[in-house]
Amino acid sequence: MSDPWKECMDHCLEVTKKAGEMIREALQKDIAVMQKSSPVDLVTETDQKVEQLIISSIKEKYPTHSFIGEESVAAGAPSVLTDDPTWIIDPIDGTTNFVHRFPFVSISIGFTVKKEIEFGIVYSCIEDKMYTARKGKGAFCNGVPIKVSGQEDISQSLVLTEMGFKKDPEIFKTMLANIKAILTIPVHGIRSPGSAAVNMCLVACGSADAYYHMGIHCWDMAGGAAVVTEAGGVIMDISGGAFDLMSRRLIVASSRAIAERIAKEITEFNVGRDDKDD
C-alpha cells in the first residue's frame, strides 16, 4: 500500500533545508531582536521570515491543509488542532540561543492527520543534523537510524529540562524545587540546551535519557514527539497520564520506568493549554 504522506514529508524536507540556510545566513549578520510578552520572550525578523517561507511553500502545494505556527499564533491566528491535515511549525526553536549564537537552534515541524502525528522533522541547523521520523518507519539523524539509550535506572541518567525567569514567584519556586528534586534522586546531572525540539532528539538518539518541561507549546513538541516515539522512547504527560499535544507539558524518556519516576518526583504548576485562551 502506498504511503499517502510520503510526498508531504519529502516536500517538507526540501523546504526545511532552505529554511536552515536562511537561519545560518542570518547568523552571519546583526540580529535585530524584539520582545514578545516579556524581556525573556524574544523574537527576531528571522523567525517571521522563516515561518513565512515554510508556510507559503507548503500552502502553494497543499492549499487545503491547516497550519499552526508560532509566529502566526503570536499575530492572532487560532491555535486549534482539528482532524484536518495540519502542519505545526516552530520556525526557530531556541530563539534566545539564536540571538546569542549558542549552537542549538532548530526548525521543528510536525504533521498531524485526525490529531495523530504522522511525521516529524527537526533540523538542528548550526550542527547540520536533520532528525526525521515517519509513523511506523523509525527515526533517523542525517539518514542514519537512531534509538534511545534504553536506560531504566534513573540514577544512571542524564536529564534535560529548561529553566528561566518566571513572573509568578510561586511557579518560579516550584520550577527550582523540581530541579532540586531530580538532582537529589540523584541523577548524573541536568542539562539545558535551550531548544525543546533538540532536547527531544537528544533523548531519541541516546545522548540524554529524559527530558521534562512545563510551559512549552505544541509547535515546540510536535516534530520531536514523532522522532522520540519512533526511536523507541516513551512520551507522557507530566502527571504520568497520556501525552496531549495541546497541554503545553511533557516528559520524554528512554524507558517507562524513568518517565514514571520523573512524574512522581516533580510538582505540577498551571501552564494553561494551547487550544484555550487563558
Side-chain angles (χ1 to χ4, degrees), residues 211-213 221 228 233-244 247 249-253 255-264:
Y211 166 50
Y212 74 89
H213 203 152
M221 302 191 281
V228 84
V234 172
I235 182 164
M236 64 171 64
D237 184 67
I238 286 285
S239 65
F243 171 62
D244 175 352
S247 70
R249 50 197 228 169
L250 87 170
I251 300 170
V252 299
S255 65
R256 183 157 293 279
I258 287 179
E260 286 174 349
R261 180 64 189 273
I262 290 171
K264 188 178 151 205

Side-chain angles (χ1 to χ4, degrees), residues 15 120 160 165 169 198 220 246 250 262:
V15 179
L160 309 177
F165 172 71
V198 168
D220 298 307
M246 305 308 278
L250 87 170
I262 290 171

Side-chain angles (χ1 to χ4, degrees), residues 155-225:
S155 69
Q156 301 295 307
S157 297
L158 186 65
V159 179
L160 309 177
T161 192
E162 294 298 332
M163 56 196 103
F165 172 71
K166 307 284 181 200
K167 281 188 239 179
D168 182 317
E170 284 308 305
I171 288 178
F172 193 51
K173 206 157 86 179
T174 306
M175 180 193 78
L176 294 174
N178 284 339
I179 288 167
K180 185 181 177 185
I182 299 298
L183 282 173
T184 52
I185 287 172
V187 295
H188 277 177
I190 287 182
R191 302 287 183 269
S192 295
S195 162
V198 168
N199 291 347
M200 295 170 85
C201 292
L202 288 168
V203 174
C205 69
S207 298
D209 305 293
Y211 166 50
Y212 74 89
H213 203 152
M214 286 175 271
I216 51 175
H217 293 277
C218 58
W219 48 81
D220 298 307
M221 302 191 281

